[in-house]
Amino acid sequence: MMNLFDVYPLFDINIVKGKGCHVWDENGTEYLDLYGGHAVISIGHAHPHYVEMISNQVAKLGFYSNSVINKLQQEVAARLGKISGYDDYSLFLINSGAEANENALKLASFHNGRTKVISFSKAFHGRTSLAVEATDNPKIIAPINANEHVTYLPLNDTEAMKAELAKGDVCAVIIEGIQGVGGIKLPTTEFMQELRKACTENGTILILDEIQSGYGRSGKFFAHQYTGIKPDIITVAKGIANGFPMAGVLISPMFTPVYGMLGTTFGGNHLACAAALAVLDVIEQEQLIENAATVGTYLIEELKKFPQIKEVRGEGLMIGMEFETPIKELRTKLLKEQKVFTGVSGTNVIRLLPPLCLSMEEATVFLNRLKKIL
């Protein structure tokens, strides 16, 4: 019998059902989901409108190639442009966050002909060739990927950033709206504004990786919108289709499309677009961005009252709790004893990435369960 290739350490739990911010295992045990399938579940599990949109679409047409017009893609682009505030940008639809970053970096290099990239300490941008090279984790960069395109700089070090860009040979800077894997680290407003200015002055493309921090998670549609800047390219994935594999690259008007430069087989297929439209419907109708801001602020302020937590960081419903000691046992207790799913960043940070529909009541339940463990 063929077995799965063992790449993840797994909890011995088989999740079979979900509803809103709750999931159930095969034994009927209910869990509060503050992990959201790694920030993927944006509008909640099994939302009725989402189920209806996908069901109706698959009954009509699940897939056809990108060699013909797909009006669902055009509708996704129009709706996304309006809700995000990037109506004048273009949209390229693909399948995953790594693929989005890969295409963003290629597009930047096609544009200015340069090969050097700036990324930042603790960054995570994916596992494909260029994306993994821009990820600050030597353990997952294979020798074939290590082509020395990328220089890593300390996050929020304005002087180091300006000095590197002043050399005039940097193709692109890629930066997360909020670092997820890196421990919920936020770029400062001052740094982002200086970065935008320096990129413009030196002909460097600014890429904002909003794969985890985008789609309303931060309390704004994109986390970088807290800083008042506009990047040249934005990458999105995770929450875009609530679990259906999908991603996108938002591309500024400065880029001219060339046939054959970019391409995809499955990207923007009919089912994915139906899922993405359902997500946008629910985000608007249920005011989930505003909810993420309100409930997230409440959670952050309450968590700061716990003396056992060294530091609380984040915006909206993207929250990191840093402890002085490793959190493996704490996270396991939360799951096994208190029935709460959470994520991690490194060894000392618990990461909260719940669906954006998390209520005040559910947030309070979590705080009470955390208090019992601490």
Side-chain angles (χ1 to χ4, degrees):
M1 181 181 74
M2 181 181 289
N3 293 314
L4 294 172
F5 195 58
D6 192 8
V7 295
Y8 296 114
L10 303 176
F11 286 113
D12 188 23
I13 298 171
N14 179 26
I15 297 299
V16 297
K17 186 177 75 170
K19 184 71 174 177
C21 294
H22 299 262
V23 293
W24 288 261
D25 66 19
E26 61 186 348
N27 300 314
T29 303
E30 181 180 350
Y31 300 83
L32 178 61
D33 183 14
L34 297 190
Y35 186 51
H38 202 79
V40 167
I41 302 301
S42 50
I43 62 172
H45 297 279
H47 192 287
H49 181 61
Y50 180 80
V51 173
E52 181 183 20
M53 289 278 284
I54 292 180
S55 300
N56 289 343
Q57 184 58 49
V58 76
K60 292 188 289 187
L61 179 68
F63 175 85
Y64 202 75
S65 82
N66 284 308
S67 61
V68 299
I69 292 171
N70 179 350
K71 289 190 176 180
L72 291 174
Q73 291 182 351
Q74 297 170 349
E75 188 176 350
V76 170
R79 294 279 304 282
L80 178 54
K82 182 179 179 181
I83 191 173
S84 69
Y86 281 92
D87 205 33
D88 57 333
Y89 281 45
S90 301
L91 179 64
F92 176 51
L93 291 169
I94 55 277
N95 311 289
S96 71
E99 192 178 344
N101 285 334
E102 195 82 16
N103 280 284
L105 289 163
K106 286 169 60 179
L107 190 61
S109 187
F110 278 128
H111 181 77
N112 58 27
R114 301 174 186 174
T115 60
K116 293 185 178 180
V117 173
I118 290 176
S119 184
F120 296 91
S121 299
K122 307 299 183 183
F124 187 94
H125 296 293
R127 296 177 183 270
T128 53
S129 183
L130 274 170
V132 78
E133 193 184 348
T135 293
D136 187 20
N137 184 350
K139 293 180 180 178
I140 65 171
I141 302 177
I144 198 169
N145 303 130
N147 294 313
E148 300 183 353
H149 293 118
V150 181
T151 299
Y152 298 107
L153 299 178
L155 185 66
N156 294 323
D157 189 332
T158 300
E159 294 308 312
M161 173 271 293
K162 285 183 176 180
E164 196 65 29
L165 283 173
K167 296 176 182 178
D169 60 352
V170 177
C171 166
V173 175
I174 184 166
I175 184 170
E176 294 160 272
I178 299 173
Q179 286 191 341
V181 174
I184 313 298
K185 299 288 181 66
L186 284 70
T188 66
T189 295
E190 180 186 7
F191 178 77
M192 291 291 269
Q193 291 177 351
E194 290 295 326
L195 175 60
R196 173 67 278 180
K197 182 180 176 183
C199 283
T200 301
E201 290 173 349
N202 292 283
T204 297
I205 301 302
L206 178 55
I207 301 170
L208 248 297
D209 178 342
E210 293 277 8
I211 287 162
Q212 189 170 141
S213 57
Y215 256 77
R217 178 153 298 281
S218 71
K220 291 187 179 291
F221 196 87
F222 293 125
H224 72 261
Q225 289 172 321
Y226 280 100
T227 71
I229 69 156
K230 291 191 78 169
D232 303 308
I233 300 175
I234 306 166
T235 56
V236 296
K238 294 195 183 296
I240 189 174
N242 204 52
F244 199 99
M246 192 182 195
V249 184
L250 281 69
I251 305 164
S252 82
M254 67 188 289
F255 294 90
T256 302
V258 176
Y259 288 151
M261 180 184 291
L262 305 176
T264 176
T265 296
F266 296 107
N269 64 74
H270 295 73
L271 268 180
C273 286
L277 288 170
V279 166
L280 291 172
D281 286 344
V282 175
I283 283 176
E284 289 188 296
Q285 291 166 10
E286 300 186 7
Q287 298 181 310
L288 293 188
I289 299 175
E290 295 82 354
N291 186 70
T294 302
V295 179
T297 297
Y298 167 69
L299 263 178
I300 290 170
E301 291 306 313
E302 291 300 311
L303 288 168
K304 287 179 177 178
K305 297 176 183 178
F306 284 75
Q308 303 93 334
I309 302 175
K310 177 184 175 182
E311 186 178 7
V312 180
R313 297 185 294 270
E315 292 282 7
L317 291 175
M318 186 172 181
I319 301 170
M321 302 181 290
E322 183 173 350
F323 292 80
E324 293 282 3
T325 56
I327 47 78
K328 182 178 180 180
E329 183 180 354
L330 173 61
R331 185 195 182 203
T332 301
K333 283 186 175 182
L334 275 169
L335 181 61
K336 297 290 188 178
E337 297 179 18
Q338 296 301 319
K339 311 305 179 191
V340 179
F341 268 104
T342 59
V344 298
S345 293
T347 58
N348 286 37
V349 178
I350 285 183
R351 194 169 16 155
L352 305 181
L353 304 164
L356 306 186
C357 57
L358 185 76
S359 68
M360 285 289 196
E361 293 76 15
E362 289 164 331
T364 301
V365 167
F366 163 67
L367 291 167
N368 290 334
R369 292 182 187 182
L370 178 64
K371 189 180 295 183
K372 290 178 182 179
I373 295 296
L374 293 179

